[in-house]
Amino acid sequence: MKKNVSKVVLAYSGGLDTSIIIPWLKENYNCEVIAMAADVGQHEELDGLEEKALKSGASKLYIEDLREEFVTDFVYPTLMAGAVYESKYLLGTSFARPLIARRQVEIARRENADAVSHGATGKGNDQVRFELTYKAFAPELTIISPWREWNIKSREDAIEYAASKNIPIAQTKEKIYSRDRNLWHISHEGGELEDPWNEPREDVYMLTVSPEKAPDKPEYVEIDFESGRPVSLDGKAYSPVALVEKLNEIASRNGVGRADIVENRLVGMKSRGVYETPGGTVLYEAHRALETLTLDRDTMHYKEGVALRYAELVYYGKWYNPLREALDAFVEHTQIHVTGTVRVKLYKGNCAAVGIKSPYSLYREDIATFSEDEVYNQSDAEGFINLFGLPETVSAKFRK
């Protein structure tokens, strides 16, 4: 049953789904529609957005520059946690949605709107990410999710609806990919990618050069970290946004950052996604390498378990959950001495940390060396092994 609403703030990207939602909301709810687009680094996708939104029926469009906040408050905490969903996904869409939805709620209150809306489908994760944020900050607002209400059942139907309303879109029935882009990554879903047997065609990729066409000579980049956060590249300081953009440029031309994943969605189904996260892939590799030098064994091993849980919370849309905030406090403490420089080698789709140094290094060459040393008494290992292996010794005697 539809609720009576007079003014709706729509999370608007200008893509297929949100483009057709504006006229649909006006037709079905007889309400004013205010569009809100978040600039989280999607570049040319924002060009001409205001004209398009107004022509589609919106009364106004807010374009909110959230790039700095996106990197410092969402990307970096997840990076420092080492959070990766199902071993491959660097969570680019997952942590953008809570930021967008929070600003959407702020605008709804500013405009005295009584509803918010989004373009996420009823099959996906984004509906949860948007709506958990709405509930966290404005549970009194009505939530309108058109994909759960209308009779449009496919992207082909959506394309036909857009044509009937004379709304210009980039998608065609031949190029029907669903994409989400921001400063951290771009995702590709749909079309022939829905068959996991199909290798992605080269025209799917939009950021990274094919590894086969990448330069034949490796490229090196040195990344400086301070307390877990990257601060400079090759000795030059960058702002957080500029650093990610520069690293995207370096990694993309070397074919670094592609991931092809069949992942488990929160709603229960498996889906296939192709992701490009060029700079992010390099930062994760470098950050992990620096932690191997600066974290003690117990902290490092425990943090690996925290990373898995952190990734689940982010993927599930629970960014504003008290547990994630508590885990942030733990992660922040582990990063106090994650300071130093990592040299990363990029070559034809691969990146590897090939040099690490830190003023807080726990690595002692005089202890670890295979050469003669005067620090480590190897005969001490016998007693250690006897005690460490005592349970095995007792079990063996019992079995006899």
Side-chain angles (χ1 to χ4, degrees):
M1 181 178 176
K2 289 186 174 69
K3 292 185 178 180
N4 291 324
V5 297
S6 60
K7 187 184 294 186
V8 181
V9 176
L10 169 67
Y12 180 73
S13 68
L16 173 60
D17 297 336
T18 57
S19 293
I20 64 174
I21 285 174
I22 293 176
W24 184 87
L25 285 170
K26 292 171 69 71
E27 287 177 1
N28 288 270
Y29 282 86
N30 191 30
C31 61
E32 178 185 356
V33 179
I34 295 172
M36 190 282 290
D39 180 1
V40 285
Q42 57 270 55
H43 296 290
E44 66 274 3
E45 291 182 14
L46 295 169
D47 295 344
L49 208 59
E50 182 173 16
E51 180 182 4
K52 183 176 181 180
L54 297 180
K55 284 185 176 180
S56 299
S59 61
K60 68 172 72 170
L61 170 70
Y62 285 87
I63 298 180
E64 301 290 293
D65 186 353
L66 305 180
R67 292 173 297 168
E68 194 80 14
E69 188 175 358
F70 177 52
V71 177
T72 58
D73 294 352
F74 292 79
V75 171
Y76 283 178
T78 307
L79 167 69
M80 292 190 296
V84 182
Y85 186 70
E86 296 188 342
S87 302
K88 282 189 174 182
Y89 178 38
L90 300 187
L91 298 164
T93 297
S94 306
F95 49 43
R97 298 311 193 212
L99 171 61
I100 295 168
R102 189 181 70 188
R103 185 56 59 89
Q104 185 185 358
V105 165
E106 292 169 356
I107 290 173
R109 286 188 165 148
R110 187 187 313 169
E111 289 285 345
N112 293 315
D114 46 14
V116 285
S117 182
H118 60 78
T121 74
K123 288 184 176 182
N125 302 302
D126 277 345
Q127 60 182 333
V128 182
R129 296 163 184 159
F130 275 109
E131 294 182 30
L132 289 188
T133 303
Y134 300 155
K135 293 177 185 298
F137 290 97
E140 74 280 3
L141 291 175
T142 296
I143 299 171
I144 302 175
S145 176
W147 272 101
R148 301 202 297 258
E149 295 183 24
W150 60 21
N151 58 5
I152 296 172
K153 302 300 182 186
S154 66
R155 297 189 71 75
E156 289 84 356
D157 288 348
I159 290 170
E160 291 178 4
Y161 184 89
S164 72
K165 300 297 180 183
N166 295 315
I167 297 173
I169 55 172
Q171 291 84 356
T172 67
K173 292 185 178 181
E174 290 71 38
K175 289 189 174 182
I176 203 167
Y177 304 119
S178 173
R179 290 186 165 105
D180 177 67
R181 182 178 180 180
N182 58 44
L183 186 65
W184 189 243
H185 88 156
I186 186 169
S187 64
H188 315 273
E189 295 178 316
E192 79 277 1
L193 296 177
E194 292 182 350
D195 183 350
W197 185 252
N198 291 332
E199 180 181 0
R201 299 198 309 256
E202 196 55 39
D203 65 0
V204 169
Y205 298 100
M206 298 180 66
L207 302 181
T208 54
V209 68
S210 166
E212 291 88 346
K213 296 181 179 179
D216 293 328
K217 182 180 179 181
E219 183 171 359
Y220 292 83
V221 60
E222 291 189 2
I223 306 171
D224 293 317
F225 290 84
E226 292 181 4
S227 297
R229 294 167 178 81
V231 294
S232 65
L233 302 176
D234 293 326
K236 181 180 178 181
Y238 287 87
S239 70
V241 172
L243 186 144
V244 174
E245 287 181 329
K246 181 64 176 178
L247 206 50
N248 278 338
E249 176 189 326
I250 295 169
S252 291
R253 65 175 174 247
N254 286 284
V256 169
R258 295 183 176 187
D260 186 353
I261 311 168
V262 175
E263 68 196 57
N264 289 291
R265 284 183 178 172
L266 175 59
V267 295
M269 70 184 71
K270 289 184 181 289
S271 66
R272 198 268 189 98
V274 174
Y275 300 95
E276 296 174 85
T277 317
T281 299
V282 178
L283 284 176
Y284 264 79
E285 170 68 16
H287 183 265
R288 274 194 299 264
L290 187 56
E291 284 191 328
T292 65
L293 205 64
T294 56
L295 294 187
D296 66 278
R297 180 180 63 191
D298 287 344
T299 301
M300 188 171 182
H301 288 183
Y302 192 84
K303 187 172 178 288
E304 288 175 350
V306 169
L308 291 174
R309 189 70 180 104
Y310 198 105
E312 286 182 340
L313 290 169
V314 176
Y315 188 85
Y316 295 166
K318 293 193 170 188
W319 185 269
Y320 299 107
N321 183 278
L323 175 57
R324 192 209 59 82
E325 294 171 349
L327 293 180
D328 256 355
F330 165 78
V331 170
E332 190 72 39
H333 187 77
T334 68
Q335 301 299 292
I336 292 173
H337 293 143
V338 184
T339 294
T341 303
V342 183
R343 186 171 67 251
V344 181
K345 179 180 180 180
L346 299 89
Y347 182 65
K348 290 190 176 295
N350 298 296
C351 73
V354 294
I356 329 166
K357 61 181 179 179
S358 169
Y360 302 105
S361 174
L362 300 178
Y363 176 80
R364 288 277 303 274
E365 185 177 356
D366 58 343
I367 294 178
T369 181
F370 283 97
S371 301
E372 183 179 353
D373 69 85
E374 298 178 356
V375 179
Y376 185 90
N377 187 347
Q378 297 193 33
S379 64
D380 290 344
E382 181 180 357
F384 165 75
I385 295 170
N386 288 338
L387 294 176
F388 190 67
L390 185 58
E392 285 76 13
T393 302
V394 172
S395 295
K397 291 181 177 179
F398 176 78
R399 287 195 299 271
K400 287 182 179 180

